[in-house]
Amino acid sequence: MSIVVTGATGKLGRHVVEQLLEKVPADQVTAVVRTPEKAADLAERGVRLAVADYNTPESFEGLFKAGDKVLLISGNEFDKGRTGQHQVVIDAAKAAGVALLAYTSAPGSLTAALADDHRATEEALLASGLPYVLLRNGWYHENYTENLAPVLEHRAVVAAAGKGRVSSASRADYAAAAVAVLTGEGHENRTYELGGDTAWSFDEYAAELSRQTGEEIAYNPVTPEALTGILTGAGLPEPLAAVFAGVDVSIEKGELEVTSGDLSRLAGRPTTPLAEAIAAALKG
């Protein structure tokens, strides 16, 4: 039996593997990667490496074994048909007879276009008949704190989210929930709505940045169309910029405010405060 993590060298996958190694022997962990060189340090610690690519279905043939627990981390290639990519993993897992397939999805309340691939993948997973867990991850602190340079330069937080609130948490928090499911019992066929303990508004985010930097940083609310233009001007492809602007519209509607408490319960601790994530990013 192995715990198999796809996308293991990605930003979330790394956290999952590191936290798994605190709970189980390294030889019980398989990291699925596209570029083994990026996981050389994990291999040195005894983690098994499997080279596979969502875009190459045959690379997943024989990768899983009966009884494996698998974490399917959603792909980030928005232009390559993520649902089809995920189906490759689901089909391979079903053929192998894995014990559990957990999938990192999006909040059930999210109606933005970003959620479409996730909903379709959830439907495919349920249709497969596999024992499943839906880890409906909310927004990450790092979606904001990893991109502070333009905010600090212009002394402005720009978003199209109005007065909406976000229950974000750190990648490490979401990884802890995944690890709890992969190493625990009784999670089969469960859906968890995951988000941070404390929701915040963009006014509050700007105020916290101001407090920690000593600079006056304001929240500048804009229209979704204006935000799309700003993001394309910064180099994002227009379709992807529109997707992110759509998420802000969902935030204004309250669709990324998660009140279930599932994340802190699974992690066994409070979620990371936004202020702590900002402090870590500023030390950077």
Side-chain angles (χ1 to χ4, degrees), residues 5-57:
V5 180
T6 72
T9 55
K11 291 177 177 178
L12 178 60
R14 271 272 172 191
H15 280 290
V16 173
V17 173
E18 290 289 348
Q19 292 186 40
L20 278 172
L21 293 177
E22 297 171 6
K23 296 276 188 80
V24 299
D27 63 3
Q28 290 183 18
V29 179
T30 298
V32 181
V33 300
R34 284 190 293 195
T35 310
E37 292 78 15
K38 290 183 179 179
D41 59 313
L42 298 176
E44 288 171 4
R45 293 161 67 183
V47 173
R48 299 175 189 169
L49 299 188
V51 180
D53 188 323
Y54 294 150
N55 300 306
T56 312

mmCIF file of all heavy atoms in Angstrom, residues 5-57:
data_model
loop_
_atom_site.group_PDB
_atom_site.id
_atom_site.type_symbol
_atom_site.label_atom_id
_atom_site.label_comp_id
_atom_site.label_asym_id
_atom_site.label_seq_id
_atom_site.Cartn_x
_atom_site.Cartn_y
_atom_site.Cartn_z
ATOM 1 N N VAL A 5 0.688 10.849 -4.399
ATOM 2 C CA VAL A 5 0.359 12.264 -4.539
ATOM 3 C C VAL A 5 0.710 12.705 -5.954
ATOM 4 O O VAL A 5 1.880 12.646 -6.355
ATOM 5 C CB VAL A 5 1.131 13.126 -3.516
ATOM 6 C CG1 VAL A 5 0.767 14.604 -3.675
ATOM 7 C CG2 VAL A 5 0.859 12.656 -2.093
ATOM 8 N N THR A 6 -0.294 13.129 -6.724
ATOM 9 C CA THR A 6 0.000 13.667 -8.052
ATOM 10 C C THR A 6 0.402 15.137 -7.903
ATOM 11 O O THR A 6 0.102 15.776 -6.901
ATOM 12 C CB THR A 6 -1.213 13.566 -8.991
ATOM 13 O OG1 THR A 6 -2.205 14.521 -8.592
ATOM 14 C CG2 THR A 6 -1.816 12.170 -8.980
ATOM 15 N N GLY A 7 1.094 15.651 -8.913
ATOM 16 C CA GLY A 7 1.534 17.054 -8.842
ATOM 17 C C GLY A 7 2.398 17.304 -7.615
ATOM 18 O O GLY A 7 2.315 18.362 -6.993
ATOM 19 N N ALA A 8 3.248 16.337 -7.292
ATOM 20 C CA ALA A 8 3.931 16.343 -5.997
ATOM 21 C C ALA A 8 5.002 17.418 -5.862
ATOM 22 O O ALA A 8 5.411 17.734 -4.738
ATOM 23 C CB ALA A 8 4.554 14.973 -5.718
ATOM 24 N N THR A 9 5.466 17.979 -6.966
ATOM 25 C CA THR A 9 6.456 19.055 -6.853
ATOM 26 C C THR A 9 5.807 20.427 -7.020
ATOM 27 O O THR A 9 6.500 21.439 -7.041
ATOM 28 C CB THR A 9 7.584 18.889 -7.890
ATOM 29 O OG1 THR A 9 7.014 18.791 -9.194
ATOM 30 C CG2 THR A 9 8.419 17.655 -7.591
ATOM 31 N N GLY A 10 4.490 20.458 -7.127
ATOM 32 C CA GLY A 10 3.784 21.739 -7.187
ATOM 33 C C GLY A 10 3.737 22.406 -5.827
ATOM 34 O O GLY A 10 4.191 21.855 -4.818
ATOM 35 N N LYS A 11 3.156 23.591 -5.787
ATOM 36 C CA LYS A 11 3.184 24.378 -4.552
ATOM 37 C C LYS A 11 2.393 23.715 -3.431
ATOM 38 O O LYS A 11 2.821 23.738 -2.273
ATOM 39 C CB LYS A 11 2.673 25.790 -4.832
ATOM 40 C CG LYS A 11 3.632 26.589 -5.703
ATOM 41 C CD LYS A 11 3.088 27.969 -6.036
ATOM 42 C CE LYS A 11 4.097 28.777 -6.848
ATOM 43 N NZ LYS A 11 3.579 30.108 -7.217
ATOM 44 N N LEU A 12 1.243 23.119 -3.760
ATOM 45 C CA LEU A 12 0.478 22.397 -2.748
ATOM 46 C C LEU A 12 1.049 21.007 -2.527
ATOM 47 O O LEU A 12 1.183 20.547 -1.375
ATOM 48 C CB LEU A 12 -0.989 22.302 -3.166
ATOM 49 C CG LEU A 12 -1.916 21.533 -2.220
ATOM 50 C CD1 LEU A 12 -1.948 22.169 -0.833
ATOM 51 C CD2 LEU A 12 -3.316 21.421 -2.805
ATOM 52 N N GLY A 13 1.407 20.328 -3.612
ATOM 53 C CA GLY A 13 1.922 18.961 -3.513
ATOM 54 C C GLY A 13 3.137 18.842 -2.620
ATOM 55 O O GLY A 13 3.269 17.889 -1.840
ATOM 56 N N ARG A 14 4.029 19.802 -2.715
ATOM 57 C CA ARG A 14 5.234 19.807 -1.859
ATOM 58 C C ARG A 14 4.844 19.793 -0.384
ATOM 59 O O ARG A 14 5.403 19.053 0.412
ATOM 60 C CB ARG A 14 6.060 21.057 -2.149
ATOM 61 C CG ARG A 14 7.062 20.883 -3.246
ATOM 62 C CD ARG A 14 8.371 20.365 -2.698
ATOM 63 N NE ARG A 14 9.290 20.017 -3.773
ATOM 64 C CZ ARG A 14 10.418 19.354 -3.570
ATOM 65 N NH1 ARG A 14 10.750 18.969 -2.353
ATOM 66 N NH2 ARG A 14 11.210 19.059 -4.568
ATOM 67 N N HIS A 15 3.886 20.653 -0.023
ATOM 68 C CA HIS A 15 3.445 20.705 1.374
ATOM 69 C C HIS A 15 2.855 19.362 1.807
ATOM 70 O O HIS A 15 3.112 18.892 2.915
ATOM 71 C CB HIS A 15 2.384 21.802 1.548
ATOM 72 C CG HIS A 15 2.932 23.187 1.663
ATOM 73 N ND1 HIS A 15 3.632 23.622 2.778
ATOM 74 C CD2 HIS A 15 2.876 24.241 0.816
ATOM 75 C CE1 HIS A 15 3.972 24.891 2.611
ATOM 76 N NE2 HIS A 15 3.541 25.285 1.428
ATOM 77 N N VAL A 16 2.076 18.754 0.927
ATOM 78 C CA VAL A 16 1.451 17.474 1.262
ATOM 79 C C VAL A 16 2.517 16.418 1.517
ATOM 80 O O VAL A 16 2.480 15.699 2.536
ATOM 81 C CB VAL A 16 0.494 17.021 0.143
ATOM 82 C CG1 VAL A 16 -0.011 15.601 0.418
ATOM 83 C CG2 VAL A 16 -0.688 17.977 0.023
ATOM 84 N N VAL A 17 3.486 16.290 0.615
ATOM 85 C CA VAL A 17 4.527 15.270 0.773
ATOM 86 C C VAL A 17 5.342 15.518 2.043
ATOM 87 O O VAL A 17 5.604 14.584 2.817
ATOM 88 C CB VAL A 17 5.436 15.215 -0.471
ATOM 89 C CG1 VAL A 17 6.610 14.273 -0.235
ATOM 90 C CG2 VAL A 17 4.642 14.777 -1.697
ATOM 91 N N GLU A 18 5.717 16.769 2.273
ATOM 92 C CA GLU A 18 6.503 17.075 3.476
ATOM 93 C C GLU A 18 5.740 16.683 4.743
ATOM 94 O O GLU A 18 6.314 16.115 5.682
ATOM 95 C CB GLU A 18 6.842 18.570 3.519
ATOM 96 C CG GLU A 18 7.843 19.030 2.466
ATOM 97 C CD GLU A 18 9.257 18.533 2.718
ATOM 98 O OE1 GLU A 18 9.524 18.018 3.831
ATOM 99 O OE2 GLU A 18 10.082 18.643 1.792
ATOM 100 N N GLN A 19 4.439 16.975 4.771
ATOM 101 C CA GLN A 19 3.655 16.651 5.960
ATOM 102 C C GLN A 19 3.388 15.146 6.069
ATOM 103 O O GLN A 19 3.308 14.608 7.173
ATOM 104 C CB GLN A 19 2.349 17.446 5.967
ATOM 105 C CG GLN A 19 2.582 18.942 6.169
ATOM 106 C CD GLN A 19 1.278 19.714 6.311
ATOM 107 O OE1 GLN A 19 0.349 19.265 6.947
ATOM 108 N NE2 GLN A 19 1.228 20.898 5.716
ATOM 109 N N LEU A 20 3.261 14.457 4.940
ATOM 110 C CA LEU A 20 3.126 12.999 4.983
ATOM 111 C C LEU A 20 4.347 12.358 5.619
ATOM 112 O O LEU A 20 4.236 11.383 6.379
ATOM 113 C CB LEU A 20 2.928 12.436 3.570
ATOM 114 C CG LEU A 20 1.519 12.492 2.994
ATOM 115 C CD1 LEU A 20 1.539 12.073 1.524
ATOM 116 C CD2 LEU A 20 0.568 11.589 3.781
ATOM 117 N N LEU A 21 5.522 12.904 5.296
ATOM 118 C CA LEU A 21 6.762 12.327 5.814
ATOM 119 C C LEU A 21 6.873 12.471 7.329
ATOM 120 O O LEU A 21 7.680 11.788 7.962
ATOM 121 C CB LEU A 21 7.971 12.964 5.123
ATOM 122 C CG LEU A 21 8.103 12.627 3.622
ATOM 123 C CD1 LEU A 21 9.278 13.365 2.999
ATOM 124 C CD2 LEU A 21 8.243 11.124 3.420
ATOM 125 N N GLU A 22 6.068 13.352 7.917
ATOM 126 C CA GLU A 22 6.028 13.460 9.367
ATOM 127 C C GLU A 22 5.124 12.398 9.997
ATOM 128 O O GLU A 22 5.151 12.189 11.206
ATOM 129 C CB GLU A 22 5.523 14.852 9.774
ATOM 130 C CG GLU A 22 6.430 15.992 9.318
ATOM 131 C CD GLU A 22 5.795 17.357 9.556
ATOM 132 O OE1 GLU A 22 4.705 17.415 10.173
ATOM 133 O OE2 GLU A 22 6.386 18.363 9.114
ATOM 134 N N LYS A 23 4.328 11.735 9.145
ATOM 135 C CA LYS A 23 3.322 10.792 9.653
ATOM 136 C C LYS A 23 3.587 9.333 9.287
ATOM 137 O O LYS A 23 3.201 8.435 10.030
ATOM 138 C CB LYS A 23 1.936 11.174 9.103
ATOM 139 C CG LYS A 23 1.393 12.535 9.558
ATOM 140 C CD LYS A 23 0.710 12.420 10.910
ATOM 141 C CE LYS A 23 -0.001 13.691 11.299
ATOM 142 N NZ LYS A 23 -1.300 13.849 10.653
ATOM 143 N N VAL A 24 4.179 9.100 8.110
ATOM 144 C CA VAL A 24 4.365 7.721 7.637
ATOM 145 C C VAL A 24 5.792 7.552 7.113
ATOM 146 O O VAL A 24 6.449 8.532 6.740
ATOM 147 C CB VAL A 24 3.352 7.368 6.517
ATOM 148 C CG1 VAL A 24 1.924 7.486 7.023
ATOM 149 C CG2 VAL A 24 3.561 8.247 5.288
ATOM 150 N N PRO A 25 6.283 6.312 7.050
ATOM 151 C CA PRO A 25 7.621 6.077 6.491
ATOM 152 C C PRO A 25 7.691 6.520 5.032
ATOM 153 O O PRO A 25 6.704 6.410 4.292
ATOM 154 C CB PRO A 25 7.787 4.554 6.605
ATOM 155 C CG PRO A 25 6.836 4.137 7.682
ATOM 156 C CD PRO A 25 5.678 5.072 7.582
ATOM 157 N N ALA A 26 8.850 7.005 4.629
ATOM 158 C CA ALA A 26 9.009 7.558 3.275
ATOM 159 C C ALA A 26 8.704 6.541 2.197
ATOM 160 O O ALA A 26 8.185 6.898 1.132
ATOM 161 C CB ALA A 26 10.433 8.096 3.115
ATOM 162 N N ASP A 27 8.994 5.246 2.455
ATOM 163 C CA ASP A 27 8.767 4.257 1.398
ATOM 164 C C ASP A 27 7.292 3.939 1.188
ATOM 165 O O ASP A 27 6.936 3.169 0.302
ATOM 166 C CB ASP A 27 9.571 2.983 1.664
ATOM 167 C CG ASP A 27 9.160 2.268 2.943
ATOM 168 O OD1 ASP A 27 8.212 2.719 3.621
ATOM 169 O OD2 ASP A 27 9.797 1.242 3.270
ATOM 170 N N GLN A 28 6.416 4.548 2.018
ATOM 171 C CA GLN A 28 4.974 4.402 1.808
ATOM 172 C C GLN A 28 4.399 5.562 0.986
ATOM 173 O O GLN A 28 3.191 5.605 0.749
ATOM 174 C CB GLN A 28 4.244 4.308 3.150
ATOM 175 C CG GLN A 28 4.501 3.019 3.900
ATOM 176 C CD GLN A 28 3.709 2.930 5.196
ATOM 177 O OE1 GLN A 28 2.732 3.649 5.392
ATOM 178 N NE2 GLN A 28 4.150 2.067 6.081
ATOM 179 N N VAL A 29 5.257 6.490 0.579
ATOM 180 C CA VAL A 29 4.810 7.668 -0.164
ATOM 181 C C VAL A 29 5.340 7.599 -1.597
ATOM 182 O O VAL A 29 6.537 7.381 -1.813
ATOM 183 C CB VAL A 29 5.297 8.971 0.510
ATOM 184 C CG1 VAL A 29 4.841 10.190 -0.294
ATOM 185 C CG2 VAL A 29 4.798 9.056 1.947
ATOM 186 N N THR A 30 4.446 7.773 -2.564
ATOM 187 C CA THR A 30 4.839 7.852 -3.970
ATOM 188 C C THR A 30 4.509 9.245 -4.491
ATOM 189 O O THR A 30 3.359 9.696 -4.389
ATOM 190 C CB THR A 30 4.113 6.796 -4.821
ATOM 191 O OG1 THR A 30 4.459 5.490 -4.366
ATOM 192 C CG2 THR A 30 4.484 6.935 -6.293
ATOM 193 N N ALA A 31 5.504 9.918 -5.020
ATOM 194 C CA ALA A 31 5.332 11.258 -5.583
ATOM 195 C C ALA A 31 5.260 11.145 -7.101
ATOM 196 O O ALA A 31 6.215 10.672 -7.734
ATOM 197 C CB ALA A 31 6.491 12.153 -5.165
ATOM 198 N N VAL A 32 4.140 11.558 -7.665
ATOM 199 C CA VAL A 32 3.980 11.552 -9.122
ATOM 200 C C VAL A 32 4.448 12.896 -9.650
ATOM 201 O O VAL A 32 3.946 13.945 -9.251
ATOM 202 C CB VAL A 32 2.512 11.303 -9.526
ATOM 203 C CG1 VAL A 32 2.375 11.270 -11.042
ATOM 204 C CG2 VAL A 32 2.011 9.997 -8.924
ATOM 205 N N VAL A 33 5.430 12.859 -10.535
ATOM 206 C CA VAL A 33 6.050 14.095 -11.028
ATOM 207 C C VAL A 33 6.226 14.010 -12.539
ATOM 208 O O VAL A 33 6.262 12.932 -13.117
ATOM 209 C CB VAL A 33 7.433 14.327 -10.357
ATOM 210 C CG1 VAL A 33 7.285 14.449 -8.853
ATOM 211 C CG2 VAL A 33 8.415 13.204 -10.696
ATOM 212 N N ARG A 34 6.328 15.163 -13.170
ATOM 213 C CA ARG A 34 6.658 15.197 -14.593
ATOM 214 C C ARG A 34 8.161 15.293 -14.797
ATOM 215 O O ARG A 34 8.698 14.787 -15.768
ATOM 216 C CB ARG A 34 5.964 16.390 -15.263
ATOM 217 C CG ARG A 34 4.502 16.183 -15.506
ATOM 218 C CD ARG A 34 3.892 17.254 -16.377
ATOM 219 N NE ARG A 34 3.861 18.558 -15.745
ATOM 220 C CZ ARG A 34 3.131 19.576 -16.176
ATOM 221 N NH1 ARG A 34 2.396 19.439 -17.261
ATOM 222 N NH2 ARG A 34 3.140 20.731 -15.556
ATOM 223 N N THR A 35 8.823 15.986 -13.863
ATOM 224 C CA THR A 35 10.267 16.221 -13.966
ATOM 225 C C THR A 35 10.951 15.664 -12.726
ATOM 226 O O THR A 35 10.945 16.306 -11.665
ATOM 227 C CB THR A 35 10.558 17.731 -14.098
ATOM 228 O OG1 THR A 35 9.737 18.285 -15.135
ATOM 229 C CG2 THR A 35 12.020 17.987 -14.420
ATOM 230 N N PRO A 36 11.516 14.461 -12.815
ATOM 231 C CA PRO A 36 12.074 13.837 -11.610
ATOM 232 C C PRO A 36 13.183 14.647 -10.948
ATOM 233 O O PRO A 36 13.378 14.566 -9.731
ATOM 234 C CB PRO A 36 12.586 12.476 -12.103
ATOM 235 C CG PRO A 36 12.590 12.552 -13.593
ATOM 236 C CD PRO A 36 11.593 13.574 -13.992
ATOM 237 N N GLU A 37 13.896 15.456 -11.753
ATOM 238 C CA GLU A 37 14.974 16.261 -11.171
ATOM 239 C C GLU A 37 14.446 17.192 -10.080
ATOM 240 O O GLU A 37 15.150 17.485 -9.099
ATOM 241 C CB GLU A 37 15.662 17.083 -12.260
ATOM 242 C CG GLU A 37 16.464 16.260 -13.271
ATOM 243 C CD GLU A 37 15.565 15.583 -14.304
ATOM 244 O OE1 GLU A 37 14.382 15.956 -14.417
ATOM 245 O OE2 GLU A 37 16.072 14.665 -14.983
ATOM 246 N N LYS A 38 13.197 17.641 -10.236
ATOM 247 C CA LYS A 38 12.609 18.555 -9.250
ATOM 248 C C LYS A 38 12.297 17.845 -7.933
ATOM 249 O O LYS A 38 12.049 18.502 -6.923
ATOM 250 C CB LYS A 38 11.337 19.183 -9.806
ATOM 251 C CG LYS A 38 11.571 20.173 -10.937
ATOM 252 C CD LYS A 38 10.257 20.799 -11.377
ATOM 253 C CE LYS A 38 10.465 21.817 -12.486
ATOM 254 N NZ LYS A 38 9.181 22.412 -12.945
ATOM 255 N N ALA A 39 12.288 16.513 -7.972
ATOM 256 C CA ALA A 39 11.971 15.744 -6.766
ATOM 257 C C ALA A 39 13.168 14.942 -6.275
ATOM 258 O O ALA A 39 13.016 14.026 -5.465
ATOM 259 C CB ALA A 39 10.807 14.803 -7.043
ATOM 260 N N ALA A 40 14.359 15.305 -6.740
ATOM 261 C CA ALA A 40 15.553 14.541 -6.354
ATOM 262 C C ALA A 40 15.729 14.521 -4.840
ATOM 263 O O ALA A 40 16.125 13.500 -4.259
ATOM 264 C CB ALA A 40 16.789 15.135 -7.033
ATOM 265 N N ASP A 41 15.427 15.623 -4.188
ATOM 266 C CA ASP A 41 15.581 15.679 -2.728
ATOM 267 C C ASP A 41 14.613 14.724 -2.038
ATOM 268 O O ASP A 41 14.954 14.131 -1.004
ATOM 269 C CB ASP A 41 15.359 17.108 -2.228
ATOM 270 C CG ASP A 41 13.978 17.646 -2.578
ATOM 271 O OD1 ASP A 41 13.560 17.496 -3.736
ATOM 272 O OD2 ASP A 41 13.306 18.208 -1.675
ATOM 273 N N LEU A 42 13.417 14.563 -2.605
ATOM 274 C CA LEU A 42 12.452 13.632 -2.020
ATOM 275 C C LEU A 42 12.921 12.195 -2.196
ATOM 276 O O LEU A 42 12.805 11.368 -1.280
ATOM 277 C CB LEU A 42 11.073 13.825 -2.659
ATOM 278 C CG LEU A 42 10.429 15.198 -2.463
ATOM 279 C CD1 LEU A 42 9.113 15.277 -3.228
ATOM 280 C CD2 LEU A 42 10.209 15.497 -0.980
ATOM 281 N N ALA A 43 13.458 11.893 -3.376
ATOM 282 C CA ALA A 43 13.977 10.549 -3.632
ATOM 283 C C ALA A 43 15.106 10.211 -2.661
ATOM 284 O O ALA A 43 15.197 9.083 -2.147
ATOM 285 C CB ALA A 43 14.452 10.432 -5.074
ATOM 286 N N GLU A 44 15.947 11.190 -2.384
ATOM 287 C CA GLU A 44 17.053 10.964 -1.437
ATOM 288 C C GLU A 44 16.553 10.643 -0.041
ATOM 289 O O GLU A 44 17.230 9.968 0.740
ATOM 290 C CB GLU A 44 17.958 12.208 -1.387
ATOM 291 C CG GLU A 44 18.802 12.403 -2.629
ATOM 292 C CD GLU A 44 19.516 13.746 -2.643
ATOM 293 O OE1 GLU A 44 19.410 14.491 -1.637
ATOM 294 O OE2 GLU A 44 20.173 14.053 -3.660
ATOM 295 N N ARG A 45 15.343 11.106 0.275
ATOM 296 C CA ARG A 45 14.763 10.842 1.593
ATOM 297 C C ARG A 45 13.959 9.548 1.617
ATOM 298 O O ARG A 45 13.339 9.220 2.630
ATOM 299 C CB ARG A 45 13.889 12.030 2.018
ATOM 300 C CG ARG A 45 14.715 13.290 2.257
ATOM 301 C CD ARG A 45 13.891 14.552 2.221
ATOM 302 N NE ARG A 45 12.951 14.649 3.339
ATOM 303 C CZ ARG A 45 12.082 15.642 3.495
ATOM 304 N NH1 ARG A 45 12.040 16.614 2.593
ATOM 305 N NH2 ARG A 45 11.270 15.670 4.529
ATOM 306 N N GLY A 46 13.934 8.840 0.487
ATOM 307 C CA GLY A 46 13.278 7.538 0.460
ATOM 308 C C GLY A 46 11.903 7.517 -0.162
ATOM 309 O O GLY A 46 11.253 6.465 -0.210
ATOM 310 N N VAL A 47 11.432 8.673 -0.672
ATOM 311 C CA VAL A 47 10.134 8.728 -1.337
ATOM 312 C C VAL A 47 10.253 8.071 -2.710
ATOM 313 O O VAL A 47 11.226 8.285 -3.433
ATOM 314 C CB VAL A 47 9.657 10.188 -1.488
ATOM 315 C CG1 VAL A 47 8.384 10.274 -2.328
ATOM 316 C CG2 VAL A 47 9.437 10.817 -0.123
ATOM 317 N N ARG A 48 9.267 7.261 -3.061
ATOM 318 C CA ARG A 48 9.253 6.665 -4.389
ATOM 319 C C ARG A 48 8.815 7.721 -5.398
ATOM 320 O O ARG A 48 7.883 8.481 -5.136
ATOM 321 C CB ARG A 48 8.257 5.505 -4.436
ATOM 322 C CG ARG A 48 8.557 4.371 -3.485
ATOM 323 C CD ARG A 48 7.430 3.346 -3.557
ATOM 324 N NE ARG A 48 7.534 2.326 -2.533
ATOM 325 C CZ ARG A 48 6.579 1.453 -2.261
ATOM 326 N NH1 ARG A 48 5.446 1.488 -2.939
ATOM 327 N NH2 ARG A 48 6.742 0.552 -1.311
ATOM 328 N N LEU A 49 9.452 7.740 -6.548
ATOM 329 C CA LEU A 49 9.061 8.667 -7.607
ATOM 330 C C LEU A 49 8.412 7.898 -8.744
ATOM 331 O O LEU A 49 8.861 6.811 -9.110
ATOM 332 C CB LEU A 49 10.268 9.444 -8.150
ATOM 333 C CG LEU A 49 11.048 10.329 -7.187
ATOM 334 C CD1 LEU A 49 12.085 11.150 -7.974
ATOM 335 C CD2 LEU A 49 10.142 11.238 -6.387
ATOM 336 N N ALA A 50 7.341 8.460 -9.288
ATOM 337 C CA ALA A 50 6.711 7.918 -10.493
ATOM 338 C C ALA A 50 6.583 9.063 -11.485
ATOM 339 O O ALA A 50 6.081 10.131 -11.141
ATOM 340 C CB ALA A 50 5.344 7.336 -10.163
ATOM 341 N N VAL A 51 7.071 8.859 -12.688
ATOM 342 C CA VAL A 51 7.045 9.909 -13.702
ATOM 343 C C VAL A 51 5.807 9.723 -14.572
ATOM 344 O O VAL A 51 5.630 8.680 -15.211
ATOM 345 C CB VAL A 51 8.324 9.879 -14.567
ATOM 346 C CG1 VAL A 51 8.271 10.994 -15.614
ATOM 347 C CG2 VAL A 51 9.564 10.032 -13.691
ATOM 348 N N ALA A 52 4.946 10.722 -14.556
ATOM 349 C CA ALA A 52 3.715 10.659 -15.352
ATOM 350 C C ALA A 52 3.240 12.068 -15.641
ATOM 351 O O ALA A 52 3.575 13.012 -14.919
ATOM 352 C CB ALA A 52 2.629 9.862 -14.623
ATOM 353 N N ASP A 53 2.443 12.191 -16.697
ATOM 354 C CA ASP A 53 1.954 13.498 -17.148
ATOM 355 C C ASP A 53 0.468 13.368 -17.443
ATOM 356 O O ASP A 53 0.049 12.444 -18.141
ATOM 357 C CB ASP A 53 2.714 13.911 -18.414
ATOM 358 C CG ASP A 53 2.424 15.340 -18.852
ATOM 359 O OD1 ASP A 53 1.263 15.790 -18.712
ATOM 360 O OD2 ASP A 53 3.338 16.001 -19.358
ATOM 361 N N TYR A 54 -0.343 14.273 -16.918
ATOM 362 C CA TYR A 54 -1.779 14.263 -17.168
ATOM 363 C C TYR A 54 -2.094 14.227 -18.664
ATOM 364 O O TYR A 54 -3.153 13.740 -19.076
ATOM 365 C CB TYR A 54 -2.443 15.528 -16.590
ATOM 366 C CG TYR A 54 -2.431 15.662 -15.080
ATOM 367 C CD1 TYR A 54 -2.408 16.924 -14.490
ATOM 368 C CD2 TYR A 54 -2.469 14.559 -14.247
ATOM 369 C CE1 TYR A 54 -2.427 17.084 -13.115
ATOM 370 C CE2 TYR A 54 -2.475 14.696 -12.871
ATOM 371 C CZ TYR A 54 -2.458 15.964 -12.299
ATOM 372 O OH TYR A 54 -2.468 16.105 -10.942
ATOM 373 N N ASN A 55 -1.194 14.783 -19.478
ATOM 374 C CA ASN A 55 -1.444 14.868 -20.916
ATOM 375 C C ASN A 55 -1.030 13.603 -21.666
ATOM 376 O O ASN A 55 -1.192 13.518 -22.879
ATOM 377 C CB ASN A 55 -0.706 16.075 -21.513
ATOM 378 C CG ASN A 55 -1.160 17.381 -20.876
ATOM 379 O OD1 ASN A 55 -2.347 17.674 -20.842
ATOM 380 N ND2 ASN A 55 -0.220 18.147 -20.348
ATOM 381 N N THR A 56 -0.481 12.626 -20.942
ATOM 382 C CA THR A 56 -0.030 11.374 -21.556
ATOM 383 C C THR A 56 -0.669 10.217 -20.802
ATOM 384 O O THR A 56 -0.085 9.684 -19.832
ATOM 385 C CB THR A 56 1.507 11.267 -21.495
ATOM 386 O OG1 THR A 56 2.090 12.489 -21.959
ATOM 387 C CG2 THR A 56 2.021 10.118 -22.335
ATOM 388 N N PRO A 57 -1.872 9.823 -21.181
ATOM 389 C CA PRO A 57 -2.610 8.807 -20.422
ATOM 390 C C PRO A 57 -1.830 7.520 -20.165
ATOM 391 O O PRO A 57 -1.905 6.944 -19.071
ATOM 392 C CB PRO A 57 -3.838 8.543 -21.304
ATOM 393 C CG PRO A 57 -4.047 9.821 -22.045
ATOM 394 C CD PRO A 57 -2.663 10.360 -22.306
#
